[in-house]
Amino acid sequence: MADPRGVFSKAGLRLLDSFRRRPNLKAIPLPSGKASVASKNFLLSGSDCEAGRKISYRLFYNAGAKKLQGVCHFGEMAEGPPGMVHGGAASAMLDTVMGNLCWWSGEKVVTGRLSVDYRNMLPLNTTCSVNAWFDKEEGRKLHVRAHLASIQGGAEDGAAVSEAAAAAAAASTEDLHVYS
């Protein structure tokens, strides 16, 4: 895992270190292989490609609780309104967190519906905490929720900047052939 120093805020690094020390959390590997070749062109790559300019993130899965936690940083390429993070960048991060929760829980799904509530504007170059959890299950559909909170000021339990809900549908092996 690449070192995020110089990208995450001090509060973000403290939170990241606390996740790394918890034995019940498993660090989720960053994209590699075929995807890493194209990741230079992705806004949300997870890697330190052009460190600090894109959306850098580290995610941790708690198998016992079936929850996902992480830290992310929105760089200058995530800009929407002048000096602020674009809502689409925030929703992409929330979708990534919820999708990873499903996949690491053994559920091969695709997002069918994504609803995002934007609570506050988020300045660029802000480090945030991200969390995702399962809400309910209805047949082939999983309902997942997530929130994104700024930790720039040092408060690790900051108020949510954005909250999301998704309905993810089970995908067949044929649908996922591009990932094999």
Side-chain angles (χ1 to χ4, degrees):
M1 185 177 293
D3 188 358
R5 289 188 216 321
V7 176
F8 294 160
S9 68
K10 288 181 182 178
L13 289 171
R14 282 193 304 274
L15 185 57
L16 183 64
D17 287 341
S18 77
F19 291 153
R20 288 178 174 158
R21 287 192 304 268
R22 294 183 195 165
N24 62 328
L25 295 179
K26 175 182 173 54
I28 293 178
L30 295 174
S32 63
K34 297 175 191 173
S36 66
V37 174
S39 70
K40 293 178 187 172
N41 300 319
F42 294 159
L43 174 63
L44 192 117
S45 65
S47 70
D48 287 330
C49 176
E50 299 181 68
R53 295 191 66 221
K54 297 184 178 189
I55 302 171
S56 300
Y57 65 92
R58 300 295 182 274
L59 302 176
F60 296 83
Y61 176 63
N62 182 329
K66 286 200 170 185
K67 291 184 178 181
L68 194 122
Q69 298 173 287
V71 180
C72 67
H73 177 87
F74 293 92
E76 63 192 44
M77 292 177 72
E79 188 172 31
M84 299 292 168
V85 172
H86 191 287
S91 67
M93 185 69 237
L94 290 164
D95 186 45
T96 295
V97 171
M98 291 185 290
N100 269 284
L101 171 62
C102 292
W103 281 68
W104 280 90
S105 296
E107 304 291 342
K108 304 304 182 214
V109 299
V110 293
T111 302
R113 179 186 50 78
L114 176 65
S115 175
V116 181
D117 293 324
Y118 300 98
R119 304 286 182 214
N120 295 296
M121 298 286 282
L122 184 62
L124 287 175
N125 296 309
T126 298
T127 301
C128 297
S129 65
V130 289
N131 295 284
W133 61 95
F134 290 107
D135 191 29
K136 63 182 176 178
E137 188 174 339
E138 289 179 335
R140 288 180 21 133
K141 277 189 199 172
L142 291 174
H143 295 269
V144 188
R145 300 187 64 80
H147 74 82
L148 175 72
S150 172
I151 56 172
Q152 204 69 18
E156 293 180 4
D157 293 320
V161 173
S162 300
E163 298 173 321
S172 69
T173 307
E174 295 80 33
D175 293 336
L176 301 175
H177 73 279
V178 295
Y179 296 107
S180 342

mmCIF file of all heavy atoms in Angstrom, residues 1 28-40 42 44-47 57 100 104 178-180:
data_model
loop_
_atom_site.group_PDB
_atom_site.id
_atom_site.type_symbol
_atom_site.label_atom_id
_atom_site.label_comp_id
_atom_site.label_asym_id
_atom_site.label_seq_id
_atom_site.Cartn_x
_atom_site.Cartn_y
_atom_site.Cartn_z
ATOM 1 N N MET A 1 0.856 -1.170 0.000
ATOM 2 C CA MET A 1 0.000 0.000 0.000
ATOM 3 C C MET A 1 0.902 1.233 0.000
ATOM 4 O O MET A 1 1.790 1.366 0.831
ATOM 5 C CB MET A 1 -0.891 -0.026 1.247
ATOM 6 C CG MET A 1 -1.892 1.086 1.283
ATOM 7 S SD MET A 1 -2.997 1.003 2.727
ATOM 8 C CE MET A 1 -3.907 -0.468 2.369
ATOM 9 N N ILE A 28 -8.232 -3.094 2.452
ATOM 10 C CA ILE A 28 -8.644 -3.501 1.113
ATOM 11 C C ILE A 28 -7.545 -3.077 0.143
ATOM 12 O O ILE A 28 -7.159 -1.908 0.121
ATOM 13 C CB ILE A 28 -9.989 -2.859 0.737
ATOM 14 C CG1 ILE A 28 -11.084 -3.437 1.649
ATOM 15 C CG2 ILE A 28 -10.314 -3.070 -0.726
ATOM 16 C CD1 ILE A 28 -12.451 -2.850 1.417
ATOM 17 N N PRO A 29 -7.021 -4.006 -0.659
ATOM 18 C CA PRO A 29 -5.950 -3.653 -1.600
ATOM 19 C C PRO A 29 -6.431 -2.619 -2.620
ATOM 20 O O PRO A 29 -7.599 -2.604 -3.010
ATOM 21 C CB PRO A 29 -5.625 -4.971 -2.299
ATOM 22 C CG PRO A 29 -6.309 -6.036 -1.531
ATOM 23 C CD PRO A 29 -7.405 -5.405 -0.746
ATOM 24 N N LEU A 30 -5.518 -1.771 -3.019
ATOM 25 C CA LEU A 30 -5.826 -0.786 -4.050
ATOM 26 C C LEU A 30 -5.951 -1.485 -5.388
ATOM 27 O O LEU A 30 -5.412 -2.580 -5.579
ATOM 28 C CB LEU A 30 -4.728 0.267 -4.110
ATOM 29 C CG LEU A 30 -4.600 1.132 -2.860
ATOM 30 C CD1 LEU A 30 -3.387 2.030 -2.961
ATOM 31 C CD2 LEU A 30 -5.848 1.947 -2.640
ATOM 32 N N PRO A 31 -6.647 -0.865 -6.349
ATOM 33 C CA PRO A 31 -6.763 -1.477 -7.679
ATOM 34 C C PRO A 31 -5.389 -1.807 -8.259
ATOM 35 O O PRO A 31 -4.446 -1.047 -8.101
ATOM 36 C CB PRO A 31 -7.454 -0.392 -8.513
ATOM 37 C CG PRO A 31 -8.172 0.448 -7.514
ATOM 38 C CD PRO A 31 -7.323 0.410 -6.265
ATOM 39 N N SER A 32 -5.309 -2.975 -8.915
ATOM 40 C CA SER A 32 -4.049 -3.384 -9.529
ATOM 41 C C SER A 32 -4.351 -4.140 -10.806
ATOM 42 O O SER A 32 -5.488 -4.305 -11.187
ATOM 43 C CB SER A 32 -3.255 -4.275 -8.566
ATOM 44 O OG SER A 32 -3.978 -5.447 -8.309
ATOM 45 N N GLY A 33 -3.311 -4.627 -11.451
ATOM 46 C CA GLY A 33 -3.489 -5.417 -12.671
ATOM 47 C C GLY A 33 -4.002 -4.576 -13.813
ATOM 48 O O GLY A 33 -3.556 -3.467 -14.037
ATOM 49 N N LYS A 34 -4.981 -5.106 -14.553
ATOM 50 C CA LYS A 34 -5.518 -4.423 -15.733
ATOM 51 C C LYS A 34 -6.041 -3.033 -15.400
ATOM 52 O O LYS A 34 -5.863 -2.102 -16.155
ATOM 53 C CB LYS A 34 -6.651 -5.248 -16.349
ATOM 54 C CG LYS A 34 -6.236 -6.593 -16.855
ATOM 55 C CD LYS A 34 -7.461 -7.356 -17.322
ATOM 56 C CE LYS A 34 -7.126 -8.808 -17.581
ATOM 57 N NZ LYS A 34 -8.317 -9.604 -17.876
ATOM 58 N N ALA A 35 -6.700 -2.907 -14.262
ATOM 59 C CA ALA A 35 -7.313 -1.624 -13.900
ATOM 60 C C ALA A 35 -6.262 -0.551 -13.652
ATOM 61 O O ALA A 35 -6.493 0.607 -13.934
ATOM 62 C CB ALA A 35 -8.186 -1.791 -12.670
ATOM 63 N N SER A 36 -5.068 -0.922 -13.142
ATOM 64 C CA SER A 36 -4.084 0.098 -12.790
ATOM 65 C C SER A 36 -3.528 0.807 -14.014
ATOM 66 O O SER A 36 -3.101 1.943 -13.925
ATOM 67 C CB SER A 36 -2.953 -0.503 -11.959
ATOM 68 O OG SER A 36 -2.214 -1.412 -12.738
ATOM 69 N N VAL A 37 -3.523 0.143 -15.161
ATOM 70 C CA VAL A 37 -3.049 0.781 -16.385
ATOM 71 C C VAL A 37 -3.942 1.962 -16.737
ATOM 72 O O VAL A 37 -3.475 3.035 -17.095
ATOM 73 C CB VAL A 37 -3.014 -0.231 -17.554
ATOM 74 C CG1 VAL A 37 -2.670 0.445 -18.860
ATOM 75 C CG2 VAL A 37 -2.036 -1.349 -17.241
ATOM 76 N N ALA A 38 -5.238 1.770 -16.570
ATOM 77 C CA ALA A 38 -6.186 2.830 -16.902
ATOM 78 C C ALA A 38 -6.377 3.817 -15.757
ATOM 79 O O ALA A 38 -6.907 4.890 -15.960
ATOM 80 C CB ALA A 38 -7.533 2.217 -17.269
ATOM 81 N N SER A 39 -5.901 3.481 -14.548
ATOM 82 C CA SER A 39 -6.204 4.322 -13.392
ATOM 83 C C SER A 39 -5.613 5.718 -13.501
ATOM 84 O O SER A 39 -6.065 6.619 -12.829
ATOM 85 C CB SER A 39 -5.752 3.652 -12.098
ATOM 86 O OG SER A 39 -4.361 3.621 -12.024
ATOM 87 N N LYS A 40 -4.632 5.916 -14.362
ATOM 88 C CA LYS A 40 -4.090 7.260 -14.555
ATOM 89 C C LYS A 40 -5.161 8.202 -15.074
ATOM 90 O O LYS A 40 -5.095 9.401 -14.869
ATOM 91 C CB LYS A 40 -2.916 7.224 -15.534
ATOM 92 C CG LYS A 40 -1.707 6.498 -15.000
ATOM 93 C CD LYS A 40 -0.618 6.460 -16.032
ATOM 94 C CE LYS A 40 0.523 5.600 -15.557
ATOM 95 N NZ LYS A 40 1.512 5.371 -16.586
ATOM 96 N N PHE A 42 -8.488 7.814 -14.338
ATOM 97 C CA PHE A 42 -9.641 7.807 -13.454
ATOM 98 C C PHE A 42 -9.481 8.865 -12.380
ATOM 99 O O PHE A 42 -8.426 9.004 -11.782
ATOM 100 C CB PHE A 42 -9.812 6.447 -12.772
ATOM 101 C CG PHE A 42 -10.152 5.325 -13.696
ATOM 102 C CD1 PHE A 42 -9.914 4.027 -13.319
ATOM 103 C CD2 PHE A 42 -10.704 5.551 -14.947
ATOM 104 C CE1 PHE A 42 -10.223 2.966 -14.165
ATOM 105 C CE2 PHE A 42 -11.020 4.510 -15.794
ATOM 106 C CZ PHE A 42 -10.770 3.205 -15.404
ATOM 107 N N LEU A 44 -11.075 8.745 -9.548
ATOM 108 C CA LEU A 44 -11.115 8.027 -8.290
ATOM 109 C C LEU A 44 -10.334 6.734 -8.456
ATOM 110 O O LEU A 44 -10.898 5.702 -8.759
ATOM 111 C CB LEU A 44 -12.585 7.736 -7.936
ATOM 112 C CG LEU A 44 -12.808 7.256 -6.537
ATOM 113 C CD1 LEU A 44 -13.672 8.259 -5.794
ATOM 114 C CD2 LEU A 44 -13.487 5.935 -6.568
ATOM 115 N N SER A 45 -9.019 6.816 -8.308
ATOM 116 C CA SER A 45 -8.197 5.642 -8.552
ATOM 117 C C SER A 45 -7.774 4.937 -7.278
ATOM 118 O O SER A 45 -7.397 3.788 -7.299
ATOM 119 C CB SER A 45 -6.936 6.031 -9.335
ATOM 120 O OG SER A 45 -6.128 6.870 -8.546
ATOM 121 N N GLY A 46 -7.805 5.647 -6.160
ATOM 122 C CA GLY A 46 -7.366 5.039 -4.919
ATOM 123 C C GLY A 46 -5.869 5.051 -4.765
ATOM 124 O O GLY A 46 -5.348 4.962 -3.680
ATOM 125 N N SER A 47 -5.154 5.189 -5.858
ATOM 126 C CA SER A 47 -3.699 5.159 -5.795
ATOM 127 C C SER A 47 -3.157 6.558 -5.541
ATOM 128 O O SER A 47 -3.892 7.532 -5.517
ATOM 129 C CB SER A 47 -3.133 4.628 -7.112
ATOM 130 O OG SER A 47 -3.330 5.590 -8.128
ATOM 131 N N TYR A 57 -7.723 7.358 -1.525
ATOM 132 C CA TYR A 57 -8.478 6.729 -0.437
ATOM 133 C C TYR A 57 -7.833 5.439 0.017
ATOM 134 O O TYR A 57 -7.065 4.820 -0.714
ATOM 135 C CB TYR A 57 -9.936 6.471 -0.843
ATOM 136 C CG TYR A 57 -10.122 5.477 -1.966
ATOM 137 C CD1 TYR A 57 -10.315 4.120 -1.705
ATOM 138 C CD2 TYR A 57 -10.115 5.883 -3.288
ATOM 139 C CE1 TYR A 57 -10.499 3.213 -2.726
ATOM 140 C CE2 TYR A 57 -10.297 4.986 -4.321
ATOM 141 C CZ TYR A 57 -10.494 3.652 -4.037
ATOM 142 O OH TYR A 57 -10.660 2.747 -5.059
ATOM 143 N N ASN A 100 -17.576 -1.570 -2.584
ATOM 144 C CA ASN A 100 -16.534 -2.383 -1.947
ATOM 145 C C ASN A 100 -17.087 -3.153 -0.760
ATOM 146 O O ASN A 100 -16.715 -4.304 -0.539
ATOM 147 C CB ASN A 100 -15.357 -1.504 -1.506
ATOM 148 C CG ASN A 100 -14.308 -1.382 -2.574
ATOM 149 O OD1 ASN A 100 -13.537 -2.302 -2.805
ATOM 150 N ND2 ASN A 100 -14.291 -0.250 -3.253
ATOM 151 N N TRP A 104 -16.666 -7.145 -0.772
ATOM 152 C CA TRP A 104 -15.863 -7.776 0.277
ATOM 153 C C TRP A 104 -16.717 -8.637 1.195
ATOM 154 O O TRP A 104 -16.206 -9.500 1.894
ATOM 155 C CB TRP A 104 -15.066 -6.726 1.048
ATOM 156 C CG TRP A 104 -13.846 -6.360 0.268
ATOM 157 C CD1 TRP A 104 -13.733 -5.364 -0.659
ATOM 158 C CD2 TRP A 104 -12.606 -7.041 0.277
ATOM 159 N NE1 TRP A 104 -12.481 -5.392 -1.221
ATOM 160 C CE2 TRP A 104 -11.762 -6.405 -0.664
ATOM 161 C CE3 TRP A 104 -12.109 -8.131 0.989
ATOM 162 C CZ2 TRP A 104 -10.458 -6.827 -0.905
ATOM 163 C CZ3 TRP A 104 -10.794 -8.538 0.750
ATOM 164 C CH2 TRP A 104 -9.996 -7.893 -0.185
ATOM 165 N N VAL A 178 -16.188 -9.001 -17.698
ATOM 166 C CA VAL A 178 -15.096 -8.045 -17.905
ATOM 167 C C VAL A 178 -14.163 -7.973 -16.703
ATOM 168 O O VAL A 178 -13.063 -7.483 -16.805
ATOM 169 C CB VAL A 178 -15.618 -6.640 -18.237
ATOM 170 C CG1 VAL A 178 -16.338 -6.613 -19.555
ATOM 171 C CG2 VAL A 178 -16.493 -6.095 -17.122
ATOM 172 N N TYR A 179 -14.614 -8.466 -15.536
ATOM 173 C CA TYR A 179 -13.786 -8.410 -14.328
ATOM 174 C C TYR A 179 -12.979 -9.675 -14.102
ATOM 175 O O TYR A 179 -12.264 -9.764 -13.135
ATOM 176 C CB TYR A 179 -14.669 -8.131 -13.096
ATOM 177 C CG TYR A 179 -15.327 -6.796 -13.157
ATOM 178 C CD1 TYR A 179 -16.690 -6.669 -13.417
ATOM 179 C CD2 TYR A 179 -14.586 -5.632 -12.980
ATOM 180 C CE1 TYR A 179 -17.296 -5.432 -13.471
ATOM 181 C CE2 TYR A 179 -15.172 -4.390 -13.052
ATOM 182 C CZ TYR A 179 -16.527 -4.295 -13.286
ATOM 183 O OH TYR A 179 -17.120 -3.079 -13.347
ATOM 184 N N SER A 180 -13.109 -10.666 -14.981
ATOM 185 C CA SER A 180 -12.394 -11.910 -14.754
ATOM 186 C C SER A 180 -10.985 -11.826 -15.284
ATOM 187 O O SER A 180 -10.648 -11.121 -16.122
ATOM 188 C CB SER A 180 -13.053 -13.093 -15.397
ATOM 189 O OG SER A 180 -14.363 -12.900 -15.740
#
